[in-house]
Amino acid sequence: MAERSLLNQLIDALRCLPGVGPKSAQRMAFHLLERDREGGARLARVMADAMARVQSCRRCRTLSEHDLCGICANPKRDASLLCVVEQPSEIVAIDQATDFRGLYFVLGGRLSPLDGIGPDELGLDVLEGRLRDESIMEVILAISPTVEGSATAQFIADFAARHGVKITRIAHGVPLGGELEHVDGGTLALAFAGRRDL
Amino acid sequence: MAERSLLNQLIDALRCLPGVGPKSAQRMAFHLLERDREGGARLARVMADAMARVQSCRRCRTLSEHDLCGICANPKRDASLLCVVEQPSEIVAIDQATDFRGLYFVLGGRLSPLDGIGPDELGLDVLEGRLRDESIMEVILAISPTVEGSATAQFIADFAARHGVKITRIAHGVPLGGELEHVDGGTLALAFAGRRDL
């Protein structure tokens, strides 16, 4: 075949999806073409629209097609609580699993000067502006307990203190149902350091 | 959130892909939006194009955006050999794994009168027309050895005989590297029935 067929182009293009290798891409392409043209056409429309229009929320930096995301624009959310996360996907997880109904702020990573990721890349100037201008009472840090994560948390704690805002960090320890013998040493050490009175 | 965000619409739409549940759909959406907008935009374009333009090859019924697919239109293929398969994906598998360089015919299923799948649904009239009008010497049946598959094979063998065309069926038996104790009984029975002189 001299020219690439549309089918082969579709199989190739599907491989940009994470976790999709040549076999799954082929299965997906045949499935859409043989059994779900309508679903495929809708997916193509929504995907083109999302790639073109989704940007960052001006206030919390999560992904949104609006200037302000649905959470930031919702007057029912508690504007005195601000949860700082690394990635937009973590907002979905926290909103689904917890009863937290405050606002969020997305860093998009952790401080890592060697990789050129400083406070500006994480929008920490925007965050500090919010602590100064909004009536935030408590900042809850939901940041991974890695070296860079802890440095980032400390950096935020420092300027939160300057603005007189209470700062907390979510608990790290042995997960629910976790067997002690299967939990990694770092987590176990964190769990011991963070022990509480019963 | 009153209205569905584009992000949520994208996550929902991705679930039309086979094997993609809510978690993978979310991971795919975030991956495209945060790390591969260009890949996502290209995928959306190719998918829309494929859903709208891919149809069936007039001659072999495989998926193609042209009236004649790449294989049927290729003058280097051996037009005296015709391999009959059930699904378009099997053409890809056979072309990659074997040195078969003849033409194909796609049934799109197997005879199943109870489900309303008769000779016309499988394009057997088109196939018989090809046996009559083209200079085909051998028809190779690559059809699953199920009850319906065997009935379909027998039906094709009958009219191939009327047109004086040689008809063969690919061998079914124990797969390469297959441990006898792990092979199912039906396959083992086929392998015994199809034994050959050494």
Side-chain angles (χ1 to χ4, degrees), chain A residues 40 86 106 158 175 184:
Chain A
E86 292 177 26
V106 177
D158 288 347
D184 66 291

Side-chain angles (χ1 to χ4, degrees), chain B residues 1-192:
Chain B
M1 279 180 275
E3 107 203 74
R4 310 264 314 134
S5 71
L6 248 180
L7 173 65
N8 284 327
Q9 290 178 42
L10 176 59
I11 293 172
D12 283 351
L14 280 163
R15 301 214 27 211
C16 76
L17 297 172
V20 174
K23 281 271 176 190
S24 332
Q26 193 187 310
R27 194 161 58 97
M28 287 173 170
F30 280 114
H31 174 89
L32 293 180
L33 286 168
E34 291 174 3
R35 296 202 197 90
D36 196 7
R37 295 258 176 160
E38 213 173 296
R42 189 179 57 240
L43 173 56
R45 269 196 314 276
V46 172
M47 194 179 288
D49 202 15
M51 295 304 127
R53 287 175 48 215
V54 170
Q55 20 114 30
S56 290
C57 169
R58 163 169 59 83
R59 194 172 177 201
C60 76
R61 295 172 32 115
T62 195
L63 295 166
S64 175
E65 71 271 30
H66 301 295
D67 187 41
L68 269 188
C69 75
I71 291 179
C72 284
N74 184 347
K76 290 189 189 142
R77 306 285 303 206
D78 182 350
S80 71
L81 295 175
L82 185 72
C83 177
V84 176
V85 297
E86 292 178 27
Q87 301 298 341
S89 55
E90 293 155 5
I91 294 184
V92 181
I94 293 173
D95 243 46
Q96 278 174 0
T98 74
D99 59 358
F100 178 77
R101 289 297 171 264
L103 301 179
Y104 290 95
F105 188 82
V106 177
L107 299 173
R110 301 164 217 164
L111 283 179
S112 177
L114 290 180
D115 302 316
I117 303 180
D120 285 357
E121 281 69 32
L122 302 184
L124 294 180
D125 46 339
V126 179
L127 178 59
E128 190 164 8
R130 289 185 66 176
L131 297 191
R132 188 183 58 227
D133 303 335
E134 300 179 18
S135 49
I136 294 165
M137 311 290 284
E138 178 180 354
V139 169
I140 300 161
L141 299 177
I143 300 178
S144 309
T146 58
V147 175
E148 287 110 352
S150 298
T152 312
Q154 194 52 54
F155 192 98
I156 297 172
D158 288 348
F159 68 65
R162 282 205 299 278
H163 292 284
V165 177
K166 177 180 174 189
I167 189 139
T168 57
R169 191 167 184 185
I170 61 166
H172 294 286
V174 177
L176 219 65
E179 305 265 5
L180 282 200
E181 55 175 336
H182 298 131
V183 167
D184 66 291
T187 301
L188 214 49
L190 275 177
F192 260 73

Side-chain angles (χ1 to χ4, degrees), chain A residues 152-172:
Chain A
T152 312
Q154 193 53 55
F155 192 97
I156 297 172
D158 288 347
F159 67 66
R162 282 205 299 279
H163 292 285
V165 176
K166 178 181 173 188
I167 188 141
T168 57
R169 191 168 185 184
I170 61 166
H172 295 287

